[in-house]
Amino acid sequence: MSISIFEKILTQEIPADIVYEDEYVLSFNDLHPIAPTHVLVIPKTKIISLTEIATKDPLTLGYFLMGVSKTATTLGLNQKGYRVVFNNGEDAQQTVLYLHAHILAGRQFTWPPG
């Protein structure tokens, strides 16, 4: 299996504009933002997708979600709000086979999202 771009970012083989990091997650600005704030949050433990979650340690997943929340807090997004998006699989446009959350903020979003 090939190494994903996110694994290369974790090993610092590829640079990233890091927003937040702790022992469980790494958060960095998306290279192709679709909102004024568009940050990706990845767990440091490799998980391919949401489909794989049922086989993982619940603590790993809890720390990952806490990392999403801590990233949003670091960015000062709690007052106005933000959207968290997970793409799972081909039809949902998951382009990197590594679990990641998109934090989107800085503009009004519509519903349904499309």
Side-chain angles (χ1 to χ4, degrees):
M1 182 183 279
S2 65
I3 296 176
S4 74
I5 190 170
F6 294 161
E7 290 166 283
K8 291 178 181 181
I9 289 171
L10 281 170
T11 61
Q12 298 179 352
E13 185 178 334
I14 295 176
D17 183 11
I18 296 172
V19 172
Y20 175 82
E21 182 175 14
D22 64 24
E23 62 186 288
Y24 304 105
V25 302
L26 180 69
S27 304
F28 50 93
N29 285 308
D30 193 295
L31 287 177
H32 305 287
I34 63 166
T37 298
H38 186 169
V39 173
L40 301 175
V41 183
I42 61 173
K44 289 188 174 178
T45 299
K46 185 176 183 177
I47 302 171
I48 299 295
S49 67
L50 286 171
T51 304
E52 212 179 77
I53 281 182
T55 65
K56 299 299 177 186
D57 174 19
L59 285 177
T60 299
L61 302 171
Y63 287 127
F64 174 58
L65 289 176
M66 286 174 59
V68 172
S69 177
K70 289 177 181 180
T71 300
T73 298
T74 297
L75 292 166
L77 302 177
N78 292 330
Q79 183 177 2
K80 297 228 19 155
Y82 55 94
R83 181 170 284 173
V84 178
V85 176
F86 292 93
N87 298 323
N88 189 70
E90 185 179 335
D91 282 354
Q93 301 295 310
Q94 182 182 5
T95 57
V96 178
L97 295 179
Y98 194 110
L99 179 67
H100 57 287
H102 298 256
I103 297 176
L104 306 169
R107 67 174 170 83
Q108 183 72 47
F109 295 100
T110 59
W111 194 261

